[in-house]
Amino acid sequence: MTAARDNNNPQPQKQTATLSDWFQAARPHTWANAFAPVIAGVGAAAWSIGGANWWKAILAAVVAWALIVGVNFANDYSDGIRGTDDDRTGPMRITASGLVAPQTVKKAAFGAFGVAGIAGVALSLTSAWWLILVGLVCIIGAWFYTGGKNPYGYRGLGEVAVFIFFGLVAVLGTEFTQTGRISWVGVVMAVAVGAISSSVNLANNLRDIPTDREAGKITLAVRLGDSGTRRLWFLLAFTPIAASVVLAVWADVLAILGVAALPFLVTAARPIAAKAQGVALIPVLGMAGRAMLLWSVLTTVALF
C-alpha cells in the first residue's frame, strides 16, 4: 500500500485497494440473491422427482454467484465512470473512490462473467444446449444494467431484471437442469424468490433516491417516489409468506416452515415503515437477504 501527504491533509491517503476493498466491492451482502434461487430450484426439483443432482446444483450456484459478482463489479465500474457514485450513502465504491483504475474493475467484471460462462456451458451441455443462449442473455443483461450508452437500470427496469434473472431464470433454470422440466411448484418458488430479491434492489434504490435523481439515474424508486417505493417494497418482500401458504395447501403441508422467515422480514420492514432515510436503510438489504435465504432453505427442506 502506498501513501501520500499534502499540506492541507497530513493524514495518509490510501492509494491502492486491499483484498478487503475488493471483497466489499463484490458486495457480499447481495450474494443471498444468487444462492437462494438455486436452493429454491433444487427444492422444486426434489418435490418433482424426489431427489436432487448435487453436482449440477453446485454448478448452478457457481453460475449464479459469478454472475452477481460480475454485476456488482460492472455497476461499480459503470456508475463510477459516469459520476453517479461521487456522492453516495452506501458502501464505498472502488472506481468512484479512485482506489482502482476503471479498466481494472471492468476486467474484474468480465472475469467474473467468464467464470459464470464456463460453469454455465458445462451445466448446459449436461442438460440442454440451448441453455447456453439463456446464459448469454443473462450476461448481456448483467452488463447493460448500468453499462452501455442507455443502461436499462437508469430507466426504472432494474427490479424487473432482478425478478427475471435472479428469480424466474435462476430458480426455473436450476429446476430444469435437475429434472428436464418445470413444475408449478417451481413457478411459485421462482415468483417468491424473484419478488423478495427485487425488494433488496428496491431498498437499495430507495436509499439512493436523492443522489440518483440528482445524477440523472431514473430508477424505479425515483419514478415511484418515496411513499410509492415503500408500499411496493412491502408487497415484494412479503410475497414468499403468501407462497408458503400456497405451497402448504397444494404441495406439501411442511412447506409452511417457510413462514419462519417472517421475523427477519418484520425486522427488515421496520426502517421502511418508519420512513428511515440514507444509511439507516442499509440494514434492510442484509436482513431481507437473510429472510430470502432462510425461506429458500426451509422450503426446500420441507419439499424433500
Side-chain angles (χ1 to χ4, degrees):
M1 181 184 299
T2 61
R5 295 175 182 269
D6 58 39
N7 293 330
N8 296 322
N9 185 3
Q11 298 298 317
Q13 300 297 305
K14 185 159 56 174
Q15 298 295 310
T16 58
T18 64
L19 287 177
S20 177
D21 293 326
W22 277 102
F23 181 73
Q24 292 303 319
R27 300 174 73 184
H29 66 272
T30 67
W31 292 357
N33 297 59
F35 296 128
V38 174
I39 294 169
V42 170
W47 178 83
S48 182
I49 63 174
N53 185 315
W54 293 108
W55 70 264
K56 285 188 176 183
I58 291 171
L59 273 180
V62 170
V63 172
W65 172 77
L67 272 176
I68 206 161
V69 169
V71 167
N72 290 334
F73 283 148
N75 292 350
D76 193 299
Y77 163 78
S78 296
D79 286 344
I81 63 173
R82 282 190 172 89
T84 310
D85 284 340
D86 289 348
D87 180 22
R88 62 182 272 109
T89 55
M92 181 187 66
R93 295 293 188 96
I94 56 176
T95 303
S97 66
L99 284 179
V100 182
Q103 288 303 313
T104 301
V105 181
K106 184 178 181 180
K107 288 177 182 177
F110 279 95
F113 292 150
V115 171
I118 292 170
V121 168
L123 183 59
S124 298
L125 292 178
T126 63
S127 305
W129 70 267
W130 50 264
L131 287 175
I132 295 174
L133 301 179
V134 176
L136 181 60
V137 171
C138 290
I139 291 173
I140 292 172
W143 174 253
F144 285 103
Y145 173 55
T146 55
K149 294 181 178 180
N150 191 29
Y152 63 85
Y154 283 40
R155 297 294 179 265
L157 296 174
E159 285 72 23
V160 174
V162 170
F163 181 82
I164 292 173
F165 293 122
F166 288 101
L168 302 183
V169 173
V171 175
L172 299 179
T174 299
E175 181 185 19
F176 186 85
T177 59
Q178 296 272 324
T179 67
R181 59 181 182 270
I182 290 171
S183 67
W184 73 267
V185 167
V187 172
V188 170
M189 296 182 78
V191 169
V193 172
I196 191 171
S197 188
S198 295
S199 80
V200 175
N201 198 68
L202 189 66
N204 186 70
N205 288 334
L206 172 63
R207 180 197 68 200
D208 293 336
I209 284 177
T211 54
D212 283 346
R213 183 183 289 120
E214 184 176 349
K217 184 177 181 179
I218 310 302
T219 63
L220 181 60
V222 170
R223 290 186 183 277
L224 294 177
D226 187 273
S227 296
T229 299
R230 292 174 194 272
R231 287 194 293 269
L232 179 59
W233 185 90
F234 275 96
L235 177 63
L236 294 173
F238 285 86
T239 295
I241 303 304
S244 291
V245 175
V246 171
L247 293 172
V249 172
W250 283 288
D252 190 317
V253 67
L254 290 179
I256 200 66
L257 285 174
V259 174
L262 187 58
F264 289 87
L265 287 172
V266 171
T267 301
R270 284 172 182 159
I272 303 291
K275 300 189 183 301
Q277 303 287 337
V279 295
L281 288 168
I282 293 177
V284 176
L285 281 67
M287 196 58 65
R290 293 184 189 99
M292 172 171 50
L293 196 58
L294 179 61
W295 183 87
S296 298
V297 169
L298 292 177
T299 305
T300 293
V301 169
L303 294 175
F304 257 88

